[in-house]
Amino acid sequence: MPDSPSLAAHDDDLLQLIEDDPLSEPASQEPLASWRVLVVDDDADVHRATELAMQGLLIEGRGLEFLHAQTSIAARELLSREDDIAVALLDVVMESEDAGLQLVRHLRASPRFDALRIVLRTGQPGYAPEIETVRTLDINDYKTKAELTRTRLYTVLTAAIRSYKQIRQLQSAQRGLSRIVESVTELNLVRTLPKYAEGALHKVALLFDTQPRGLVAVHHRDDAPELARIVAALGEYAPSLGHTVDLVGVPATRQGLLDCLRQGHSLLGGESYLHFQLANGRVLVMHVHLPHAPNHDMEPLLHTLKSALAVGFDNVALYGQLLDHAYNDQLLQLPNRNRFIELLEQNLRKPEGVSLALIDIDDFSDINDAFGHRFGDQVLQVVAQRLNEHLGSRSELARISADTFGVMGPETLICADSISTAFQEPFVVSGERLQLSATTGLVRLVDSSSLGSELLLDAHIALKRAKQMQRGTAQYFSAEMGVDARERFKLLKGLRASFEARRLFVVYQPQVELATRQPIAVEALLRWRTESGQFVPPDQFIPLAEQSGLIVAIGEFVLRTSCHQIKRLRDLGHSSLRMAVNISMAQFRHPRFISTLQAALRDAELPGSALELEITESMAMDDLDMVLHVLAEIRATGATVAIDDFGTGFSSLAQLRQLQVERLKIDRAFVQETSTEAGSTIAGMVVNLGCTLGMRVIAEGIETEEQAQQLLKLGCHEGQGYLFARPMPAELLEGWMANANKA
Ligand code: C2E
Ligand code: MG
Ligand code: MG
């Protein structure tokens, strides 16, 4: 028999105590659900006595409801269908010596009962060592039945129920928190204030398991509270969306919103008003209907949610500000270039009858320089205002760059006439009357095949053309204008990319002594093969590189590459061979040109005399002082100079004499005409001129034996051309040189 013989006395003790009833509390008015207590014991008396002993007693304001099981098996069966049991009073010894302990293990293995508190009662204290049992199994109390007087039982149950309640509260708080975290994480994807505010109303409702009803109003610091604007409204408040607070139809809510705004803090209740102070200085009030005033459990959760939402509201506001900066010009409060391009793209869906104009204020930088930037800003403001008055009603006005406005609208309105009319009257800035003019580039959207930002480029092309013709006028874009400028732009972009990707390379064309055909030098010629394998001729890309300044970097690359190549050839035995390198004006004028030249020679361990620089005739005839100065510095390095394409410019004989260069290169055009009298005469004159000035003369572009013979007859010293060799890559050049020397 597992039960203790002393149990009867113990039960009597309990029963006795029922008579006087010192523990009874007056029943509370609110009928709260009772605490459910499970009694597992194989002694029916224990069940009865327990229930009787606790009859009418309240714990934490709530009554007790008892569930009964006589065996641990019956208990398991009962537990499988019952929920929300606060305490289990378990007998240890039932159908087996440790049936109670087995049941504890079973209970602790199930997450459904992780809040359930367990009190073990035993008649035989020796069966389970107290400390060990309490430690290893999550047990609240371990009592011998003898100890459990009615008072003790009440105390034990109270402690267990409190602990159960706390666990449940914690669990619910945890659930609430994870709901908050989930809610807010999800909401953080929302970027606009109205959407975020509406989401926030939903999230508060979700926390309280209720339908979302409420509204959110935004208040600007300087306005009266009545003027706070409603940015989100749900439930019966939906009609208030977009209105001001003073128009909210429910008087109590209207008053609550105003009170909250005036008092500057949240007001909590069944109708709660949450107050948010945003970082941008604005205040946001959120009104929510809750099923009940936030109680002890819910208030901290509501605060947590509120804090999380506050951060979200700030982020949304910040994002709005960023957008504003990204799309609006802050000085003029007009759309900026980015926004304008978007507007253009929208208009492209129906381009018929729509024109775009770029209006550039003439001499604006002079105004800025003369009167200062603040004055310049004011000028822009009055111009923006004037354009808005004249064109704004039916068009989109934007600021594209410092002093350039973009405007797009019906072509009858956006035209040369209306724009010049807008500038007819003088502008008044800080009391000064200013007569301004503007130059305009116009594009009829139907005339252009471009999209978005490229349309703007078309307008820029037209604007540039107008500026070249006459300031203060307007010019319409035409397709021919576009192709030219755009092709060049594309080509330059490609060249830059190719240079960075090291797709430019150098080929070499030999120069020979005309009489012996022995190589005396090679000319470095740049090549560009595009990614698609196409060769672009240097005549096309070199001028672009020159205009853009890219030639300085490219030229240095050619210089260094060819210096290394000639060093290699010299080391292979061609010890007096020279390298001729073409130099552009931009390189020649560059302040670091000489140091670049010196470094290239030094790095290749070359004497200056291994190098000849080819400059064109037009360069040589430029600013004489500058040219003489640079030439002297070149000479100091030991390098020689040749004048390329000679005969095409208008050289002054006096100037040519002063330059003291080593070589004249007769332009290919004359060489190819040596069979004609005129060509032959010019070639002959160049040879004579060179000889008179003590220079060597070389002819380029020799393709036939006749040309070579003719030039030799004229007294020309050297030659270069397909007849001798085509320009070739370094690998082939070395073989060619070896052959030529054998011959
Ligand atoms: P250039 O300096 O007058 O170079 C001679 C041009 O004549 C080269 O054209 C060469 O390939 C070509 N040529 C040589 N022999 C013959 C021939 O027998 N018949 C014909 N029809 N043409 C011949 P390429 O390589 O197309 O270069 C064109 C121009 O580009 C050069 O004229 C030079 O002004 C410029 N250039 C080439 N490489 C460079 C460079 O690295 N830097 C600079 N600044 N300019 C370069
Ligand atoms: Mg050349
Ligand atoms: Mg040439």
Side-chain angles (χ1 to χ4, degrees):
M1 247 316 269
D3 270 335
S4 139
S6 65
L7 182 67
H10 183 65
D11 277 354
D12 288 346
D13 191 17
L14 273 178
L15 292 171
Q16 264 167 31
L17 280 162
I18 299 169
E19 323 291 62
D20 44 52
D21 202 358
L23 301 168
S24 293
E25 287 174 16
S28 122
Q29 290 90 331
E30 248 185 284
L32 284 169
S34 308
W35 303 115
R36 311 185 85 198
V37 178
L38 170 66
V39 182
V40 187
D41 206 303
D42 55 0
D43 184 339
D45 285 346
V46 174
H47 288 271
R48 229 179 329 107
T50 307
E51 201 159 345
L52 270 173
M54 295 296 116
Q55 203 169 40
L57 296 186
L58 296 178
I59 293 178
E60 299 274 298
R62 292 158 70 170
L64 300 173
E65 175 196 341
F66 285 92
L67 306 165
H68 300 280
Q70 308 283 332
T71 61
S72 72
I73 294 162
R76 283 183 196 211
E77 195 275 322
L78 184 146
L79 284 162
S80 70
R81 57 188 151 82
E82 297 290 346
D83 260 320
D84 203 21
I85 299 172
V87 186
L89 295 169
L90 300 187
D91 191 7
V92 176
V93 185
M94 291 180 286
E95 59 264 51
S96 67
E97 284 192 353
D98 65 346
L101 295 178
Q102 298 275 12
L103 186 56
V104 174
R105 285 196 188 94
H106 169 74
L107 284 170
R108 284 300 171 240
S110 158
R112 269 177 68 220
F113 297 105
D114 52 3
L116 171 74
R117 298 297 85 206
I118 299 174
V119 176
L120 282 180
R121 295 198 288 190
T122 179
Q124 293 105 319
Y127 273 107
E130 196 168 331
I131 295 176
E132 196 52 24
T133 311
V134 175
R135 192 176 63 79
T136 52
L137 302 168
D138 176 17
I139 287 170
N140 268 63
D141 228 330
Y142 183 83
K143 290 279 183 275
T144 60
K145 291 183 183 175
E147 281 179 277
L148 280 179
T149 60
R150 184 178 182 238
T151 317
R152 286 304 295 275
L153 180 60
Y154 180 78
T155 323
V156 164
L157 269 181
T158 303
I161 281 172
R162 276 202 189 121
S163 146
Y164 171 75
K165 187 177 153 194
Q166 269 164 9
I167 293 173
R168 292 302 297 254
Q169 271 172 352
L170 268 174
Q171 285 175 338
S172 123
Q174 232 161 32
R175 270 197 303 276
L177 276 176
S178 58
R179 251 188 215 185
I180 290 173
V181 171
E182 269 168 41
S183 293
V184 173
T185 312
E186 183 190 306
L187 252 194
N188 280 345
L189 300 174
V190 176
R191 289 276 177 257
T192 66
L193 181 60
K195 283 257 173 310
Y196 191 91
E198 192 182 311
L201 286 171
H202 278 282
K203 299 311 173 193
V204 176
L206 186 71
L207 183 67
F208 283 85
D209 269 327
T210 180
Q211 284 300 310
R213 284 165 66 201
L215 48 79
V216 178
V218 179
H219 178 236
H220 294 238
R221 205 176 354 202
D222 304 330
D223 291 342
E226 288 81 1
L227 296 181
R229 195 160 288 281
I230 293 160
V231 293
L234 294 175
E236 65 265 45
Y237 300 104
S240 302
L241 187 65
H243 296 291
T244 47
V245 161
D246 54 342
L247 295 178
V248 170
V250 185
T253 304
R254 189 169 60 234
Q255 196 52 50
L257 289 166
L258 293 175
D259 288 347
C260 178
L261 278 169
R262 290 200 179 103
Q263 293 172 29
H265 57 77
S266 298
L267 307 170
L268 296 188
E271 308 253 326
S272 280
Y273 297 86
L274 305 179
H275 183 274
F276 297 88
Q277 175 70 59
L278 303 191
N280 63 7
R282 293 186 188 174
V283 166
L284 211 131
V285 178
M286 178 168 175
H287 167 56
V288 279
H289 277 267
L290 302 179
H292 49 80
N295 56 20
H296 226 263
D297 306 343
M298 292 309 284
E299 203 178 308
L301 287 179
L302 183 59
H303 276 296
T304 308
L305 178 57
K306 181 179 175 269
S307 311
L309 290 177
V311 174
F313 277 124
D314 269 336
N315 283 343
V316 169
L318 200 65
Y319 185 76
Q321 252 170 302
L322 285 177
L323 271 192
D324 186 45
H325 278 268
Y327 285 110
N328 289 304
D329 181 74
Q330 301 298 305
L331 172 69
L332 303 182
Q333 289 305 317
L334 283 178
N336 64 11
R337 186 175 184 277
N338 294 338
R339 178 73 190 122
F340 194 63
I341 290 170
E342 283 191 359
L343 291 170
L344 274 174
E345 263 153 17
Q346 284 163 19
N347 266 278
L348 277 176
R349 285 180 216 130
K350 282 182 89 182
E352 294 79 17
V354 179
S355 275
L356 153 71
L358 270 189
I359 304 171
D360 186 276
I361 305 175
D362 294 330
D363 307 315
F364 180 74
S365 56
D366 292 345
I367 298 176
N368 244 348
D369 292 346
F371 302 101
H373 284 266
R374 184 161 310 174
F375 188 85
D377 285 352
Q378 286 172 324
V379 170
L380 291 171
Q381 277 159 342
V382 294
V383 172
Q385 199 181 337
R386 177 77 64 82
L387 288 175
N388 211 17
E389 283 159 15
H390 280 249
L391 313 168
S393 57
R394 288 188 294 137
S395 66
E396 295 284 356
L397 182 64
R399 185 184 185 190
I400 304 302
S401 64
D403 61 343
T404 312
F405 293 89
V407 56
M408 172 182 41
E411 59 186 34
T412 47
L413 179 69
I414 307 305
C415 62
D417 270 356
S418 61
I419 293 166
S420 81
T421 310
F423 282 84
Q424 236 157 36
E425 289 292 310
F427 293 80
V428 180
V429 182
S430 304
E432 297 284 338
R433 282 164 70 82
L434 274 183
Q435 187 61 60
L436 297 173
S437 71
T439 307
T440 305
L442 286 151
V443 185
R444 289 187 192 90
L445 264 49
V446 284
D447 286 351
S448 168
S449 54
S450 308
L451 300 171
S453 63
E454 290 191 5
L455 256 177
L456 216 51
L457 191 67
D458 289 348
H460 267 294
I461 292 167
L463 175 62
K464 207 167 160 190
R465 192 61 68 89
K467 279 186 182 171
Q468 283 163 359
M469 312 265 277
Q470 194 189 346
R471 285 182 171 246
T473 61
Q475 184 78 44
Y476 273 95
F477 170 82
S478 68
E480 305 86 74
M481 266 185 216
V483 174
D484 200 31
R486 214 189 317 276
E487 293 285 278
R488 289 155 58 84
F489 178 71
K490 265 206 289 199
L491 204 63
L492 176 59
K493 239 171 84 173
L495 176 62
R496 204 181 289 275
S498 287
F499 178 51
E500 277 160 16
R502 300 171 188 273
R503 276 198 298 275
L504 297 187
F505 62 98
V506 183
V507 293
Y508 304 90
Q509 187 179 32
Q511 300 178 341
V512 301
E513 185 83 49
L514 267 184
T516 63
R517 309 272 163 111
Q518 280 300 302
I520 47 165
V522 292
E523 180 177 8
L525 294 162
L526 187 59
R527 291 292 175 265
W528 173 20
R529 188 172 40 216
T530 61
E531 206 169 6
S532 58
Q534 252 185 322
F535 278 100
V536 183
D539 295 340
Q540 269 181 39
F541 73 81
I542 294 217
L544 271 186
E546 284 171 343
Q547 282 161 24
S548 65
L550 191 57
I551 194 69
V552 174
I554 294 182
E556 181 174 353
F557 156 76
V558 175
L559 196 61
R560 286 185 168 276
T561 310
S562 50
C563 277
H564 277 108
Q565 187 53 46
I566 194 67
K567 168 73 175 162
R568 224 184 114 75
L569 286 166
R570 285 185 158 217
D571 288 351
L572 286 174
H574 314 290
S575 51
S576 58
L577 199 71
R578 255 182 299 112
M579 177 63 74
V581 180
N582 294 287
I583 301 295
S584 283
M585 186 58 141
Q587 286 174 274
F588 192 75
R589 284 181 154 239
H590 198 277
R592 281 202 304 279
F593 175 58
I594 296 297
S595 57
T596 305
L597 174 63
Q598 289 166 337
L601 288 170
R602 190 179 341 107
D603 293 350
E605 298 175 350
L606 267 186
S609 57
L611 207 56
E612 179 156 278
L613 304 182
E614 294 192 4
I615 63 173
T616 60
E617 185 179 1
S618 53
M619 276 165 69
M621 295 301 137
D622 202 59
D623 173 358
L624 183 65
D625 285 344
M626 181 274 293
V627 174
L628 285 178
H629 177 74
V630 180
L631 286 179
E633 287 190 300
I634 293 174
R635 213 168 290 126
T637 67
T640 54
V641 173
I643 297 186
D644 206 351
D645 306 338
F646 194 81
T648 53
F650 308 91
S651 297
S652 122
L653 195 61
Q655 194 156 337
L656 193 59
R657 194 192 302 272
Q658 268 182 292
L659 297 181
Q660 301 179 338
V661 299
E662 282 70 20
R663 204 169 255 96
L664 286 183
K665 274 188 101 168
I666 308 176
D667 192 74
R668 198 166 70 216
F670 308 117
V671 171
Q672 273 153 16
E673 287 178 23
T674 42
S675 52
T676 70
E677 199 173 326
S680 186
T681 314
I682 295 175
M685 276 164 52
V686 176
V687 173
N688 282 338
L689 180 67
C691 292
T692 315
L693 295 177
M695 296 171 176
R696 302 285 290 174
V697 179
I698 178 167
E700 68 178 351
I702 302 176
E703 292 182 354
T704 64
E705 195 54 50
E706 292 75 46
Q707 291 166 349
Q709 292 308 327
Q710 178 71 12
L711 284 157
L712 194 60
K713 237 193 275 165
L714 290 171
C716 184
H717 311 111
E718 296 151 9
Q720 175 183 352
Y722 295 170
L723 175 65
F724 314 112
R726 291 191 172 247
M728 59 191 111
E731 310 85 77
L732 294 183
L733 177 66
E734 287 170 18
W736 186 91
M737 286 295 300
N739 264 335
N741 275 4
K742 262 187 256 151

